[in-house]
Amino acid sequence: MEVNDILHEDISKLNDLFIPDCFEGSVADLRAMQAALAKIVDALGEQSAAAQGLNRIITTADKLRASPTHTLYLLKDATAKNGKGEVIGLLKVGYKHLFLFDERDHVHEVEPLCVLDFYIVRDRQRSGYGRVLFDYMLHDMEMHAHQLAIDGPSAKMEQFLAKNYEVERLLRQNNNFAVAPQFFERFADISTPAVAAAVGRFAAPKPHSAIANVIHGGASYYAENNGDSSGREYERESEEESSAPPSDEERLPEPLPWAPPAPELDDGPNWDDDDYQPEVACKPPSPERPSTLPVEPEAGAPPAAPAAFADVPAAGLPSGASTPASGSGAAGAARRDSQLTDKGYFDVKFYHNRLW
C-alpha cells in the first residue's frame, strides 16, 4: 500500500490503537494498512535514532501500541514519489511523571507533556517542515512551547526552540529531561525547597514515643529532631488538658439506645427483707467426711499402739523372720516409728515387702 492510500491528511495523528484518522475499510484492509504503516514508522524511527546518535530506537510501532499516553504525529509530502506520497517527519509526545528542579533549586513533582522524539528526514530539513509539524502538535494539545519537557534535547533542538519559540535556554535535569525557565511559572505556589538526600535509617522522621518523652524531656525532643516547631505547643496543650477537671459529660457516658437486661446475680442476704431468717442463711457448710476415723480407747484401759503392716508376718515366712519394714531390736522400733504417719498409721510408701 502507498502512503497516500494509508494517510489521507498531510499530518496524521496515531495513538495506541494505531489507526489513522479518516480510515475506512474492512477488517482485512485494516490489518494490511497497519502492517504497511508499521514498516514506515519503524524505518523512520530507526533513522531518527541514528541521526541523534542513540544506542536504541525510541519510536517503533510496537512501543506506540504499548503506550496509551503517547501520541505520534506523522507529516507526509503527498506530491513525492510521483504522487504516491512519502512520510518526511515524525513527532512523538507523551505524559511523564517527573521531579524537576528550577533555578532556585526548588523541586517540583509534575506530570507534563514531554517531547519524546522529533525528526525530519535529512533532505527535507531547514525547509520549514519541522515548524509546521510542531505548530500542529501545540495547537492540537493546546500547549505552549515553554510548557513542554524535552527528552534529551540535541543542539539542533535547542536552536530550533530558540529560533521559532523564543526559548533561549533550557534547564537540564538529572533525569535527562530539559525545560525552559518559564516552565515553573505555573508551579510557583506548590514548589517545595530541595533538601539533601537522607542517608541511613536515622534520617527518617521519628514518631511520638512515650519512652522517648520520659528520657528526653517530652515532645520538645521530637520537635528538635524533626524540625517541628509545634512540639512545645503540644506539651503545653497536654499539660492544660491533664490539669483541667473533667466535665459532667466526660464523666458520664452517653446511654446506649438499647442495652440487654443485666443478669440476676446473688448479692448475698437481703437484710431489709422481713421474711429473712439469719439462722438458715448463715448456716455454715458441713465439714468434709474424713478418710479415716480414730478409735477411742475404753476408760481405764492403756492406749493400744496402732497395728502396723510390718508387724503382720508376710505369707510364707516364719513368725520370727524380719522384714525390711520391721527390722529387729531398737533399730527396728526406731525405723518403724519413722515410717508412721502423724496419726499413727503405717505409711505405705515406706513398705517395700513383696506383695506376692
Side-chain angles (χ1 to χ4, degrees):
M1 299 180 68
E2 303 298 338
V3 173
N4 287 339
D5 298 334
I6 300 174
L7 305 176
H8 301 284
E9 303 292 338
D10 291 339
I11 299 178
S12 300
K13 179 180 177 181
L14 299 176
N15 53 20
D16 57 330
L17 298 178
F18 210 67
I19 301 177
D21 298 335
C22 303
F23 175 80
E24 296 179 358
S26 61
V27 176
D29 296 338
L30 175 62
R31 293 181 177 178
M33 179 273 301
Q34 289 180 336
L37 186 59
K39 293 181 180 179
I40 296 174
V41 172
D42 292 345
L44 207 58
E46 186 176 355
Q47 296 178 24
S48 175
Q52 299 179 55
L54 303 178
N55 297 328
R56 59 185 181 88
I57 301 176
I58 300 176
T59 303
T60 62
D62 293 337
K63 290 183 178 180
L64 181 62
R65 288 172 175 173
S67 303
T69 60
H70 292 180
T71 304
L72 179 65
Y73 297 90
L74 296 177
L75 174 64
K76 76 168 186 177
D77 183 3
T79 61
K81 295 184 178 182
N82 299 324
K84 297 180 180 179
E86 179 186 10
V87 178
I88 61 175
L90 66 83
L91 174 59
K92 185 171 74 170
V93 296
Y95 290 93
K96 295 283 186 178
H97 188 84
L98 303 174
F99 291 87
L100 304 177
F101 289 85
D102 59 11
E103 294 180 304
R104 298 175 297 173
D105 288 336
H106 286 199
V107 64
H108 303 259
E109 183 180 1
V110 294
E111 191 171 351
L113 182 66
C114 305
V115 177
L116 305 176
D117 197 3
F118 184 34
Y119 176 70
I120 302 296
V121 296
R122 186 178 300 275
D123 57 347
R124 299 300 182 97
Q125 294 179 4
R126 300 185 182 277
S127 301
Y129 291 106
R131 175 67 183 270
V132 173
L133 183 57
F134 211 87
D135 286 346
Y136 183 90
M137 181 273 297
L138 293 177
H139 177 74
D140 184 60
M141 293 291 183
E142 298 180 355
M143 300 286 290
H144 297 281
H146 65 269
Q147 297 175 338
L148 303 174
I150 314 299
D151 185 9
S154 60
K156 290 185 177 180
M157 184 64 182
E158 293 184 13
Q159 296 175 4
F160 173 80
L161 294 174
K163 177 182 178 181
N164 297 287
Y165 300 102
E166 298 180 355
V167 179
E168 301 297 336
R169 61 190 180 91
L170 296 175
L171 302 178
R172 294 187 175 270
Q173 308 292 319
N174 296 330
N175 52 14
N176 202 39
F177 282 83
V179 293
Q182 302 89 339
F183 176 86
F184 300 100
E185 293 179 354
R186 53 178 174 165
F187 304 109
D189 296 337
I190 61 174
S191 62
T192 57
V195 295
V199 179
R201 59 189 178 90
F202 298 102
K206 302 177 182 62
H208 290 284
S209 173
I211 302 298
N213 293 342
V214 173
I215 297 175
H216 300 286
S220 59
Y221 171 78
Y222 175 84
E224 293 174 0
N225 287 271
N226 293 276
D228 187 5
S229 61
S230 61
R232 302 187 182 277
E233 297 178 0
Y234 172 79
E235 286 184 348
R236 290 195 296 269
E237 292 177 359
S238 301
E239 294 176 357
E240 293 176 358
E241 292 178 358
S242 60
S243 60
S247 60
D248 296 339
E249 297 179 356
E250 295 177 352
R251 285 194 296 264
L252 299 177
E254 296 181 0
L256 297 177
W258 176 86
E264 296 182 359
L265 300 178
D266 187 7
D267 296 335
N270 187 4
W271 301 101
D272 298 333
D273 192 358
D274 298 336
D275 299 335
Y276 174 71
Q277 299 179 3
E279 63 277 8
V280 177
C282 301
K283 184 178 181 180
S286 60
E288 297 182 359
R289 181 178 181 182
S291 58
T292 59
L293 296 176
V295 179
E296 299 292 338
E298 297 180 0
F309 290 104
D311 296 338
V312 181
L317 293 176
S319 60
S322 63
T323 63
S326 62
S328 62
R335 184 175 182 180
R336 284 195 303 271
D337 295 340
S338 64
Q339 295 176 357
L340 298 180
T341 63
D342 55 351
K343 294 185 179 295
Y345 295 97
F346 184 78
D347 197 344
V348 182
K349 68 182 178 182
F350 295 105
Y351 186 72
H352 301 290
N353 285 346
R354 293 183 300 175
L355 300 178
W356 58 83

